[in-house]
Each structure stands twice: as structure tokens, then as C-alpha cells.
Amino acid sequence: MKPVLTAFAALLCISPLAAQEEDFRAYTEAPRLLLRPQRLRLLKRERERQSFRWQQLDLLIAGKAPMPEAGFAFALYSQVAERPDACRHAETGAGKDLRQMAVVYDWCQSPALAAPVRQAADRAATATDIPTVRSRAFAAMALRDVEPEWSEATLKQVIVDWWRGKMVPKIRRGEALPREHTYALFELLHVVRDNLNIDLRDPVQGFFRDLPVLHLLSYYPAAYPGPENEYRIPYYQHDGEPDLRDAVISRAAELSMVAFDNNSQTSQAMQSWSMQDRYQMKGTLGAVYEFLWANPYQPGITYHVLPNVFHDARSGRLFIRSSWEEEATFFCYDKGIGQVFTAGKRADVKVSAESEPIRIGPATVLVGKEPTVFETGHTMEQPLEPGERRQPESWFIVGLKKDVPYHVEADDEEMYQTMSDAGGIVSLQFEKARPMTVRIHEPRVP
């Protein structure tokens, strides 16, 4: 018994050390990129049932419609329809796009693409933007069998050096990730977790917990009519009409979020938001993502349970909707620029002390002027509908100095100190609605 006990004790001693060592070598079988067995089975069932999403993709492929991401589209079609001949079109359609080349290599097992994928990934080795790093991770995962050491080293660099070393600190500092990169980020999350059993969200759970609500609240309320379907438009700060490609990729992002974490309440609310038929993408770019990610069998709950006010203190942004209806009034404040959307039109908000208070649902936006005292006599009391209960009031004072302390003096309350956030926003909460005057100023220097 003694030798056995000694060996067991030794095992206990080394186990904690072994548990700390991460393995960046994937032991999964191809295809490894996004089309893991469970999802591929679901998509093949959709083909057998001749679902509308499958019929739309099949129609575009059979009709030889010009696909913006032809490599991605034909490779997906080849796997679901079990048509190896489609891989020839996928190889040609991928062009020199690293992400598409990696996907075609992985899904079609195209040996001719192995060298170009490795070369393109090496050329992008110094890139730090999310889409390019995602594509390098795709390449490393796809080439796992033919370049095992390079694959492991590349994935370790992406996860340890780039994500944990650079991106996690940026998120913790409140540096907003580009909204248009959300989909690329979730492609990376899917592939890393599917093949390495590593959840990249772990160091910044709070950010990812809030992300679905932030994502939905940053759409303008009104639908936008497109050539094939209606779109929800993410807020933007440039002039002119919206870019519908951004709208497509934004919808793909929310569909992939639901697929990544389908048990959370916010994901289930996002599921009901996403499954409205009028927004189902039918165009040559969107139909591919619609078919890949949408799961109409996933249960959902009404998105009306989500908050319609989100103050992202980490990055200094504010999004408000008066309701979750399409006729709602919308307000956002980002990078010092305010915007209001109402009655189908958007307009910039002048950040000056002369601006009138903006009342949206239970929230009021007021514009302060640094560094002087801010004072308002705005009446918070609002008439109630029959049976409606009074909600707590939220005041957001924008246009202040960033990351500095302010003293707050409200009628009949003791003065207290609060901090402005990274965007110069101070958030004030009042449990009881009543007319009042609030003064906010920087601490006076003796």
C-alpha cells in the first residue's frame, strides 16, 4: 500500500501545476471553423426540411448570383448540400482574403490552399486589429494537421499575447471596441472555445454580459427598407445614408451572440428580437450569415424585458430609447457627440450649456458646461397612465470634464461627490420623482 500512496501523493502534488498549463493544440477533427458537428447537423436538417433560409441560399447559388464573399458562400453550400464540386468555386471565390481562404481550406480540405494560407497569415503577423487577428487564428486552426507547431505557436500568440496581453487591458480601461468588429470578435470566440475549450470572455465577463444590451440599444428605432428586406441600422456619425453592409454584419453579430451563449436571459431576448421575419436577410451577403447562424428553434423571451437605458461608464457612452417600439425616441452620446433620432430623422445635439433638457422615458439628459456650476430647475414629475407605477428617475449630465470628481447638491439632500466617466458623463439616480434643482460643480479649492 505504501508505494501506491506515495505515487498518489506525488500525483496530487503535480496536478495543480499541470492544470495551470494551457494546451493550444487543437485535437478536434476538421471542419474546425464554425461548422462543428452540432451546427452542421442543424444546417443539414434545415436543408432536408427545405426551410426558407436554406431555399434562399440555394436559390442564390443555383442562380449564379454574384456573391460578395463567394469563397465563404460556396464552401458553406458544399458542406450542407454535400456537393464537393462547389468547392472549386469556393477556392476561386476566396481570392486573397485570408479568412475565406482558411475557411475554404478547412471546410473543403483544399490542399492547394495550404501554402497560400500560411503565407498570408505570416504576412499579417504584426497586425493587431480584431478582423485580421481573427483571420490568423482561423488559419492556424485550419492548418492544425499540416503545420502543428506553427499552429500552436500562432494560437498561443493570439490568445496570450494579443487577447490577454493587449485587448483585455484595453477593455478594462474602457477603450470601446469598434462596433463593426463585433462579428469578427465572436467568430474568434466561437473557434477558440469550440476547439481549445478556452472561453476568451473569462477575464472580462462584465463587458460581455453588457454587450448584447449595448448592441441592441445602439440601433436606431425605425426600420430601414432595403432592396430584399428591412434592416435595423446601427447608429453612425457620418453624413449621408447608412451603409447596409454594416447593417448586415451587425445582424450577423447578434445571431452569432445568441449561438454562443443561448442560455442567458439577454441572449433569449436577443433571439426574439432577431427572429422577426421582416429582418431576415435575403441578399447575396446576408443570406449566407442568416443561414449559418439563425436558429428558429431556439427559445426566446420578449426583448421588452431589457433595459432601454444603457450608460457605458467604461468608455463614456450613453444610449437611451423611450421604449422598444419602432416609434421610440432615441438618444446617444459618444465621443463628445450627441444624437437624437425621432420621427424617422436623426439630428446632432449641440453640447452647450444653452441646450434644453432632453426627456426620454424615465431618463433626462442635461448638458453641463465645465468647469462652472450646473443648475437646472427641470420638472421631473410626469403624468402617469392608468395603472402605471412611478419609475425611478435617471439624470445624465453630459459635456463635463472626463474622469474628475464633482460635487452634487440636490434640493433637500446632503451634498455628495461623484466621478464623471471617460466621456465626461455624470449619472444621477433619484428614487422619487419630483420637481427639483440640482447643482453640480467641481470641488472648490481652499
Side-chain angles (χ1 to χ4, degrees), residues 179 182 186 201 205-219 253-254 256-258 261 264-271 273 303 306-307 310 324:
R179 191 188 190 285
T182 303
F186 270 83
R201 301 175 303 170
Q205 286 284 349
F207 170 80
F208 283 101
R209 182 189 62 245
D210 295 339
L211 186 58
V213 177
L214 176 61
H215 188 85
L216 296 189
L217 273 175
S218 58
Y219 284 113
E254 66 198 47
S256 67
M257 283 189 213
V258 174
D261 184 8
S264 72
Q265 184 183 48
T266 50
S267 289
Q268 291 173 11
M270 183 176 275
Q271 169 74 354
W273 166 279
Y303 52 85
L306 296 175
F310 188 86
W324 283 100

mmCIF file of all heavy atoms in Angstrom, residues 179 182 186 201 205-219 253-254 256-258 261 264-271 273 303 306-307 310 324:
data_model
loop_
_atom_site.group_PDB
_atom_site.id
_atom_site.type_symbol
_atom_site.label_atom_id
_atom_site.label_comp_id
_atom_site.label_asym_id
_atom_site.label_seq_id
_atom_site.Cartn_x
_atom_site.Cartn_y
_atom_site.Cartn_z
ATOM 1 N N ARG A 179 -17.606 48.897 -33.018
ATOM 2 C CA ARG A 179 -18.834 48.121 -33.110
ATOM 3 C C ARG A 179 -18.822 47.222 -34.340
ATOM 4 O O ARG A 179 -19.316 46.097 -34.310
ATOM 5 C CB ARG A 179 -20.046 49.061 -33.160
ATOM 6 C CG ARG A 179 -21.392 48.355 -32.994
ATOM 7 C CD ARG A 179 -22.539 49.317 -33.241
ATOM 8 N NE ARG A 179 -23.812 48.744 -32.866
ATOM 9 C CZ ARG A 179 -24.461 47.827 -33.576
ATOM 10 N NH1 ARG A 179 -23.939 47.376 -34.705
ATOM 11 N NH2 ARG A 179 -25.626 47.347 -33.164
ATOM 12 N N THR A 182 -17.520 43.620 -33.979
ATOM 13 C CA THR A 182 -18.150 42.681 -33.046
ATOM 14 C C THR A 182 -18.299 41.301 -33.652
ATOM 15 O O THR A 182 -18.041 40.280 -33.000
ATOM 16 C CB THR A 182 -19.523 43.202 -32.595
ATOM 17 O OG1 THR A 182 -19.368 44.507 -32.012
ATOM 18 C CG2 THR A 182 -20.153 42.272 -31.559
ATOM 19 N N PHE A 186 -16.710 37.650 -32.331
ATOM 20 C CA PHE A 186 -17.459 36.458 -31.968
ATOM 21 C C PHE A 186 -17.093 35.257 -32.833
ATOM 22 O O PHE A 186 -17.173 34.111 -32.360
ATOM 23 C CB PHE A 186 -18.964 36.732 -31.985
ATOM 24 C CG PHE A 186 -19.453 37.201 -30.648
ATOM 25 C CD1 PHE A 186 -19.339 38.539 -30.286
ATOM 26 C CD2 PHE A 186 -19.957 36.305 -29.719
ATOM 27 C CE1 PHE A 186 -19.739 38.973 -29.036
ATOM 28 C CE2 PHE A 186 -20.363 36.721 -28.465
ATOM 29 C CZ PHE A 186 -20.255 38.066 -28.117
ATOM 30 N N ARG A 201 -13.926 35.154 -22.880
ATOM 31 C CA ARG A 201 -14.683 36.147 -22.116
ATOM 32 C C ARG A 201 -14.285 36.181 -20.641
ATOM 33 O O ARG A 201 -14.579 37.161 -19.951
ATOM 34 C CB ARG A 201 -16.182 35.848 -22.197
ATOM 35 C CG ARG A 201 -16.770 35.836 -23.598
ATOM 36 C CD ARG A 201 -18.230 35.399 -23.549
ATOM 37 N NE ARG A 201 -18.357 34.089 -22.917
ATOM 38 C CZ ARG A 201 -19.531 33.545 -22.571
ATOM 39 N NH1 ARG A 201 -20.658 34.197 -22.804
ATOM 40 N NH2 ARG A 201 -19.576 32.341 -22.005
ATOM 41 N N GLN A 205 -15.762 39.332 -17.960
ATOM 42 C CA GLN A 205 -17.142 38.859 -18.006
ATOM 43 C C GLN A 205 -18.144 40.003 -18.008
ATOM 44 O O GLN A 205 -19.183 39.926 -18.674
ATOM 45 C CB GLN A 205 -17.413 37.934 -16.810
ATOM 46 C CG GLN A 205 -16.777 36.549 -16.924
ATOM 47 C CD GLN A 205 -17.545 35.653 -17.884
ATOM 48 O OE1 GLN A 205 -18.643 35.964 -18.319
ATOM 49 N NE2 GLN A 205 -16.946 34.514 -18.214
ATOM 50 N N GLY A 206 -17.870 41.064 -17.258
ATOM 51 C CA GLY A 206 -18.806 42.181 -17.195
ATOM 52 C C GLY A 206 -19.024 42.826 -18.551
ATOM 53 O O GLY A 206 -20.152 43.184 -18.911
ATOM 54 N N PHE A 207 -17.954 42.981 -19.317
ATOM 55 C CA PHE A 207 -18.060 43.570 -20.648
ATOM 56 C C PHE A 207 -18.969 42.731 -21.535
ATOM 57 O O PHE A 207 -19.856 43.255 -22.218
ATOM 58 C CB PHE A 207 -16.666 43.687 -21.266
ATOM 59 C CG PHE A 207 -16.676 44.053 -22.727
ATOM 60 C CD1 PHE A 207 -16.865 45.357 -23.124
ATOM 61 C CD2 PHE A 207 -16.493 43.070 -23.701
ATOM 62 C CE1 PHE A 207 -16.876 45.699 -24.482
ATOM 63 C CE2 PHE A 207 -16.506 43.388 -25.047
ATOM 64 C CZ PHE A 207 -16.691 44.708 -25.436
ATOM 65 N N PHE A 208 -18.767 41.424 -21.528
ATOM 66 C CA PHE A 208 -19.571 40.561 -22.395
ATOM 67 C C PHE A 208 -20.993 40.378 -21.863
ATOM 68 O O PHE A 208 -21.907 40.124 -22.645
ATOM 69 C CB PHE A 208 -18.874 39.217 -22.578
ATOM 70 C CG PHE A 208 -17.729 39.283 -23.536
ATOM 71 C CD1 PHE A 208 -16.413 39.350 -23.074
ATOM 72 C CD2 PHE A 208 -17.954 39.303 -24.901
ATOM 73 C CE1 PHE A 208 -15.355 39.424 -23.958
ATOM 74 C CE2 PHE A 208 -16.890 39.382 -25.798
ATOM 75 C CZ PHE A 208 -15.600 39.448 -25.334
ATOM 76 N N ARG A 209 -21.179 40.523 -20.567
ATOM 77 C CA ARG A 209 -22.542 40.476 -20.033
ATOM 78 C C ARG A 209 -23.361 41.659 -20.547
ATOM 79 O O ARG A 209 -24.540 41.535 -20.863
ATOM 80 C CB ARG A 209 -22.492 40.496 -18.505
ATOM 81 C CG ARG A 209 -23.865 40.402 -17.848
ATOM 82 C CD ARG A 209 -23.799 40.636 -16.349
ATOM 83 N NE ARG A 209 -23.304 41.970 -16.032
ATOM 84 C CZ ARG A 209 -22.157 42.222 -15.401
ATOM 85 N NH1 ARG A 209 -21.377 41.232 -15.008
ATOM 86 N NH2 ARG A 209 -21.782 43.470 -15.155
ATOM 87 N N ASP A 210 -22.729 42.832 -20.633
ATOM 88 C CA ASP A 210 -23.428 44.042 -21.065
ATOM 89 C C ASP A 210 -23.531 44.170 -22.580
ATOM 90 O O ASP A 210 -24.382 44.914 -23.083
ATOM 91 C CB ASP A 210 -22.709 45.286 -20.527
ATOM 92 C CG ASP A 210 -22.737 45.376 -19.014
ATOM 93 O OD1 ASP A 210 -23.618 44.736 -18.402
ATOM 94 O OD2 ASP A 210 -21.871 46.070 -18.444
ATOM 95 N N LEU A 211 -22.667 43.480 -23.310
ATOM 96 C CA LEU A 211 -22.550 43.709 -24.748
ATOM 97 C C LEU A 211 -23.851 43.497 -25.521
ATOM 98 O O LEU A 211 -24.182 44.313 -26.392
ATOM 99 C CB LEU A 211 -21.429 42.829 -25.319
ATOM 100 C CG LEU A 211 -21.089 43.064 -26.793
ATOM 101 C CD1 LEU A 211 -20.692 44.515 -27.035
ATOM 102 C CD2 LEU A 211 -19.956 42.129 -27.230
ATOM 103 N N PRO A 212 -24.639 42.441 -25.264
ATOM 104 C CA PRO A 212 -25.879 42.286 -26.036
ATOM 105 C C PRO A 212 -26.843 43.463 -25.889
ATOM 106 O O PRO A 212 -27.436 43.920 -26.870
ATOM 107 C CB PRO A 212 -26.483 40.991 -25.491
ATOM 108 C CG PRO A 212 -25.323 40.224 -24.952
ATOM 109 C CD PRO A 212 -24.406 41.263 -24.393
ATOM 110 N N VAL A 213 -27.003 43.963 -24.662
ATOM 111 C CA VAL A 213 -27.895 45.111 -24.439
ATOM 112 C C VAL A 213 -27.343 46.340 -25.150
ATOM 113 O O VAL A 213 -28.076 47.078 -25.827
ATOM 114 C CB VAL A 213 -28.070 45.384 -22.936
ATOM 115 C CG1 VAL A 213 -28.934 46.621 -22.705
ATOM 116 C CG2 VAL A 213 -28.695 44.178 -22.256
ATOM 117 N N LEU A 214 -26.050 46.581 -25.013
ATOM 118 C CA LEU A 214 -25.421 47.709 -25.700
ATOM 119 C C LEU A 214 -25.598 47.584 -27.207
ATOM 120 O O LEU A 214 -25.890 48.574 -27.904
ATOM 121 C CB LEU A 214 -23.931 47.765 -25.334
ATOM 122 C CG LEU A 214 -23.087 48.826 -26.041
ATOM 123 C CD1 LEU A 214 -23.602 50.224 -25.735
ATOM 124 C CD2 LEU A 214 -21.624 48.709 -25.626
ATOM 125 N N HIS A 215 -25.460 46.381 -27.724
ATOM 126 C CA HIS A 215 -25.584 46.152 -29.165
ATOM 127 C C HIS A 215 -26.988 46.515 -29.655
ATOM 128 O O HIS A 215 -27.153 47.215 -30.660
ATOM 129 C CB HIS A 215 -25.277 44.685 -29.475
ATOM 130 C CG HIS A 215 -25.182 44.379 -30.930
ATOM 131 N ND1 HIS A 215 -24.027 44.554 -31.662
ATOM 132 C CD2 HIS A 215 -26.104 43.901 -31.811
ATOM 133 C CE1 HIS A 215 -24.236 44.198 -32.918
ATOM 134 N NE2 HIS A 215 -25.492 43.807 -33.028
ATOM 135 N N LEU A 216 -28.009 46.058 -28.941
ATOM 136 C CA LEU A 216 -29.381 46.315 -29.377
ATOM 137 C C LEU A 216 -29.769 47.781 -29.191
ATOM 138 O O LEU A 216 -30.465 48.354 -30.034
ATOM 139 C CB LEU A 216 -30.357 45.419 -28.615
ATOM 140 C CG LEU A 216 -30.228 43.909 -28.836
ATOM 141 C CD1 LEU A 216 -31.397 43.181 -28.195
ATOM 142 C CD2 LEU A 216 -30.137 43.565 -30.313
ATOM 143 N N LEU A 217 -29.321 48.379 -28.096
ATOM 144 C CA LEU A 217 -29.678 49.774 -27.849
ATOM 145 C C LEU A 217 -28.995 50.743 -28.807
ATOM 146 O O LEU A 217 -29.428 51.883 -28.940
ATOM 147 C CB LEU A 217 -29.330 50.159 -26.411
ATOM 148 C CG LEU A 217 -30.390 49.880 -25.349
ATOM 149 C CD1 LEU A 217 -29.853 50.197 -23.966
ATOM 150 C CD2 LEU A 217 -31.650 50.682 -25.620
ATOM 151 N N SER A 218 -27.943 50.316 -29.468
ATOM 152 C CA SER A 218 -27.236 51.222 -30.370
ATOM 153 C C SER A 218 -27.788 51.191 -31.794
ATOM 154 O O SER A 218 -27.187 51.744 -32.711
ATOM 155 C CB SER A 218 -25.737 50.906 -30.384
ATOM 156 O OG SER A 218 -25.492 49.571 -30.783
ATOM 157 N N TYR A 219 -28.947 50.542 -31.978
ATOM 158 C CA TYR A 219 -29.672 50.658 -33.244
ATOM 159 C C TYR A 219 -30.633 51.840 -33.180
ATOM 160 O O TYR A 219 -31.243 52.102 -32.138
ATOM 161 C CB TYR A 219 -30.519 49.409 -33.509
ATOM 162 C CG TYR A 219 -29.784 48.181 -33.982
ATOM 163 C CD1 TYR A 219 -29.707 47.053 -33.178
ATOM 164 C CD2 TYR A 219 -29.210 48.132 -35.245
ATOM 165 C CE1 TYR A 219 -29.067 45.904 -33.613
ATOM 166 C CE2 TYR A 219 -28.569 46.987 -35.687
ATOM 167 C CZ TYR A 219 -28.495 45.879 -34.871
ATOM 168 O OH TYR A 219 -27.864 44.741 -35.303
ATOM 169 N N ALA A 253 -23.679 39.577 -36.240
ATOM 170 C CA ALA A 253 -23.074 39.589 -34.906
ATOM 171 C C ALA A 253 -24.090 39.169 -33.854
ATOM 172 O O ALA A 253 -23.780 38.358 -32.971
ATOM 173 C CB ALA A 253 -22.517 40.979 -34.589
ATOM 174 N N GLU A 254 -25.316 39.700 -33.928
ATOM 175 C CA GLU A 254 -26.287 39.345 -32.882
ATOM 176 C C GLU A 254 -26.713 37.890 -33.013
ATOM 177 O O GLU A 254 -26.931 37.201 -32.002
ATOM 178 C CB GLU A 254 -27.485 40.289 -32.919
ATOM 179 C CG GLU A 254 -28.347 40.206 -34.140
ATOM 180 C CD GLU A 254 -29.238 41.436 -34.298
ATOM 181 O OE1 GLU A 254 -28.744 42.572 -34.159
ATOM 182 O OE2 GLU A 254 -30.425 41.251 -34.598
ATOM 183 N N SER A 256 -24.785 35.462 -34.043
ATOM 184 C CA SER A 256 -23.674 34.655 -33.520
ATOM 185 C C SER A 256 -23.565 34.782 -32.009
ATOM 186 O O SER A 256 -23.111 33.850 -31.340
ATOM 187 C CB SER A 256 -22.355 35.056 -34.196
ATOM 188 O OG SER A 256 -21.963 36.366 -33.827
ATOM 189 N N MET A 257 -23.972 35.917 -31.438
ATOM 190 C CA MET A 257 -24.002 36.061 -29.977
ATOM 191 C C MET A 257 -24.979 35.078 -29.358
ATOM 192 O O MET A 257 -24.682 34.437 -28.346
ATOM 193 C CB MET A 257 -24.418 37.482 -29.587
ATOM 194 C CG MET A 257 -23.363 38.539 -29.735
ATOM 195 S SD MET A 257 -23.947 40.093 -28.978
ATOM 196 C CE MET A 257 -23.157 41.280 -30.056
ATOM 197 N N VAL A 258 -26.165 34.981 -29.959
ATOM 198 C CA VAL A 258 -27.166 34.043 -29.452
ATOM 199 C C VAL A 258 -26.641 32.619 -29.526
ATOM 200 O O VAL A 258 -26.790 31.827 -28.596
ATOM 201 C CB VAL A 258 -28.484 34.176 -30.236
ATOM 202 C CG1 VAL A 258 -29.481 33.102 -29.799
ATOM 203 C CG2 VAL A 258 -29.094 35.561 -30.036
ATOM 204 N N ASP A 261 -24.019 31.878 -26.640
ATOM 205 C CA ASP A 261 -24.499 31.753 -25.261
ATOM 206 C C ASP A 261 -26.019 31.798 -25.289
ATOM 207 O O ASP A 261 -26.627 32.842 -25.041
ATOM 208 C CB ASP A 261 -23.934 32.885 -24.404
ATOM 209 C CG ASP A 261 -24.320 32.759 -22.933
ATOM 210 O OD1 ASP A 261 -24.889 31.715 -22.558
ATOM 211 O OD2 ASP A 261 -24.044 33.706 -22.167
ATOM 212 N N SER A 264 -28.470 32.486 -21.581
ATOM 213 C CA SER A 264 -28.622 33.702 -20.784
ATOM 214 C C SER A 264 -29.917 34.412 -21.143
ATOM 215 O O SER A 264 -30.446 34.282 -22.250
ATOM 216 C CB SER A 264 -27.435 34.642 -21.004
ATOM 217 O OG SER A 264 -27.493 35.219 -22.291
ATOM 218 N N GLN A 265 -30.423 35.191 -20.198
ATOM 219 C CA GLN A 265 -31.667 35.922 -20.436
ATOM 220 C C GLN A 265 -31.516 36.925 -21.570
ATOM 221 O O GLN A 265 -32.415 37.070 -22.409
ATOM 222 C CB GLN A 265 -32.106 36.648 -19.164
ATOM 223 C CG GLN A 265 -33.458 37.355 -19.301
ATOM 224 C CD GLN A 265 -33.838 38.122 -18.057
ATOM 225 O OE1 GLN A 265 -33.026 38.882 -17.522
ATOM 226 N NE2 GLN A 265 -35.058 37.936 -17.587
ATOM 227 N N THR A 266 -30.360 37.615 -21.611
ATOM 228 C CA THR A 266 -30.180 38.603 -22.672
ATOM 229 C C THR A 266 -30.108 37.941 -24.041
ATOM 230 O O THR A 266 -30.611 38.478 -25.024
ATOM 231 C CB THR A 266 -28.911 39.442 -22.424
ATOM 232 O OG1 THR A 266 -27.803 38.566 -22.173
ATOM 233 C CG2 THR A 266 -29.092 40.371 -21.243
ATOM 234 N N SER A 267 -29.488 36.768 -24.130
ATOM 235 C CA SER A 267 -29.446 36.053 -25.408
ATOM 236 C C SER A 267 -30.839 35.613 -25.841
ATOM 237 O O SER A 267 -31.181 35.667 -27.023
ATOM 238 C CB SER A 267 -28.526 34.838 -25.313
ATOM 239 O OG SER A 267 -27.174 35.228 -25.241
ATOM 240 N N GLN A 268 -31.652 35.181 -24.896
ATOM 241 C CA GLN A 268 -33.002 34.761 -25.243
ATOM 242 C C GLN A 268 -33.855 35.952 -25.678
ATOM 243 O O GLN A 268 -34.702 35.827 -26.552
ATOM 244 C CB GLN A 268 -33.629 34.030 -24.060
ATOM 245 C CG GLN A 268 -32.976 32.684 -23.792
ATOM 246 C CD GLN A 268 -33.485 32.027 -22.521
ATOM 247 O OE1 GLN A 268 -34.468 32.467 -21.941
ATOM 248 N NE2 GLN A 268 -32.803 30.985 -22.087
ATOM 249 N N ALA A 269 -33.604 37.121 -25.063
ATOM 250 C CA ALA A 269 -34.296 38.329 -25.510
ATOM 251 C C ALA A 269 -33.810 38.735 -26.896
ATOM 252 O O ALA A 269 -34.600 39.145 -27.756
ATOM 253 C CB ALA A 269 -34.071 39.461 -24.501
ATOM 254 N N MET A 270 -32.513 38.607 -27.129
ATOM 255 C CA MET A 270 -31.971 38.916 -28.451
ATOM 256 C C MET A 270 -32.503 37.946 -29.501
ATOM 257 O O MET A 270 -32.698 38.315 -30.663
ATOM 258 C CB MET A 270 -30.438 38.882 -28.405
ATOM 259 C CG MET A 270 -29.762 39.268 -29.703
ATOM 260 S SD MET A 270 -27.960 39.319 -29.565
ATOM 261 C CE MET A 270 -27.715 40.976 -28.945
ATOM 262 N N GLN A 271 -32.766 36.701 -29.105
ATOM 263 C CA GLN A 271 -33.326 35.722 -30.025
ATOM 264 C C GLN A 271 -34.697 36.175 -30.532
ATOM 265 O O GLN A 271 -34.971 36.125 -31.736
ATOM 266 C CB GLN A 271 -33.436 34.356 -29.335
ATOM 267 C CG GLN A 271 -34.235 33.305 -30.079
ATOM 268 C CD GLN A 271 -33.514 32.729 -31.282
ATOM 269 O OE1 GLN A 271 -32.438 33.193 -31.649
ATOM 270 N NE2 GLN A 271 -34.095 31.719 -31.892
ATOM 271 N N TRP A 273 -35.790 39.187 -30.633
ATOM 272 C CA TRP A 273 -35.515 40.383 -31.449
ATOM 273 C C TRP A 273 -35.097 39.975 -32.862
ATOM 274 O O TRP A 273 -35.519 40.568 -33.852
ATOM 275 C CB TRP A 273 -34.425 41.190 -30.754
ATOM 276 C CG TRP A 273 -33.746 42.273 -31.533
ATOM 277 C CD1 TRP A 273 -32.728 42.116 -32.431
ATOM 278 C CD2 TRP A 273 -34.005 43.673 -31.468
ATOM 279 N NE1 TRP A 273 -32.334 43.337 -32.922
ATOM 280 C CE2 TRP A 273 -33.105 44.310 -32.348
ATOM 281 C CE3 TRP A 273 -34.904 44.452 -30.742
ATOM 282 C CZ2 TRP A 273 -33.079 45.694 -32.523
ATOM 283 C CZ3 TRP A 273 -34.872 45.837 -30.923
ATOM 284 C CH2 TRP A 273 -33.972 46.441 -31.803
ATOM 285 N N TYR A 303 -38.017 40.865 -25.886
ATOM 286 C CA TYR A 303 -36.910 41.799 -25.666
ATOM 287 C C TYR A 303 -37.365 43.040 -24.900
ATOM 288 O O TYR A 303 -36.540 43.872 -24.505
ATOM 289 C CB TYR A 303 -36.260 42.196 -26.995
ATOM 290 C CG TYR A 303 -37.208 42.703 -28.051
ATOM 291 C CD1 TYR A 303 -37.596 44.030 -28.102
ATOM 292 C CD2 TYR A 303 -37.702 41.836 -29.025
ATOM 293 C CE1 TYR A 303 -38.458 44.482 -29.083
ATOM 294 C CE2 TYR A 303 -38.560 42.282 -30.005
ATOM 295 C CZ TYR A 303 -38.938 43.608 -30.038
ATOM 296 O OH TYR A 303 -39.797 44.059 -31.023
ATOM 297 N N LEU A 306 -35.663 43.963 -21.564
ATOM 298 C CA LEU A 306 -34.335 44.562 -21.498
ATOM 299 C C LEU A 306 -34.437 46.027 -21.086
ATOM 300 O O LEU A 306 -35.427 46.700 -21.390
ATOM 301 C CB LEU A 306 -33.642 44.463 -22.861
ATOM 302 C CG LEU A 306 -33.342 43.058 -23.367
ATOM 303 C CD1 LEU A 306 -32.779 43.120 -24.788
ATOM 304 C CD2 LEU A 306 -32.364 42.335 -22.458
ATOM 305 N N PRO A 307 -33.425 46.536 -20.409
ATOM 306 C CA PRO A 307 -33.438 47.968 -20.071
ATOM 307 C C PRO A 307 -33.341 48.801 -21.341
ATOM 308 O O PRO A 307 -32.706 48.397 -22.318
ATOM 309 C CB PRO A 307 -32.184 48.132 -19.200
ATOM 310 C CG PRO A 307 -31.292 46.996 -19.581
ATOM 311 C CD PRO A 307 -32.204 45.854 -19.930
ATOM 312 N N PHE A 310 -28.792 52.577 -21.293
ATOM 313 C CA PHE A 310 -27.501 51.939 -21.011
ATOM 314 C C PHE A 310 -26.427 53.005 -20.962
ATOM 315 O O PHE A 310 -26.153 53.684 -21.954
ATOM 316 C CB PHE A 310 -27.146 50.902 -22.072
ATOM 317 C CG PHE A 310 -25.917 50.101 -21.710
ATOM 318 C CD1 PHE A 310 -26.020 48.973 -20.910
ATOM 319 C CD2 PHE A 310 -24.662 50.507 -22.127
ATOM 320 C CE1 PHE A 310 -24.885 48.246 -20.556
ATOM 321 C CE2 PHE A 310 -23.523 49.788 -21.771
ATOM 322 C CZ PHE A 310 -23.648 48.656 -20.984
ATOM 323 N N TRP A 324 -39.168 50.162 -26.567
ATOM 324 C CA TRP A 324 -38.623 49.233 -27.558
ATOM 325 C C TRP A 324 -39.479 49.189 -28.825
ATOM 326 O O TRP A 324 -39.292 48.310 -29.664
ATOM 327 C CB TRP A 324 -38.477 47.841 -26.957
ATOM 328 C CG TRP A 324 -37.280 47.751 -26.061
ATOM 329 C CD1 TRP A 324 -37.259 47.823 -24.707
ATOM 330 C CD2 TRP A 324 -35.919 47.613 -26.469
ATOM 331 N NE1 TRP A 324 -35.974 47.746 -24.227
ATOM 332 C CE2 TRP A 324 -35.122 47.593 -25.299
ATOM 333 C CE3 TRP A 324 -35.282 47.485 -27.706
ATOM 334 C CZ2 TRP A 324 -33.737 47.468 -25.326
ATOM 335 C CZ3 TRP A 324 -33.895 47.359 -27.737
ATOM 336 C CH2 TRP A 324 -33.142 47.351 -26.561
#
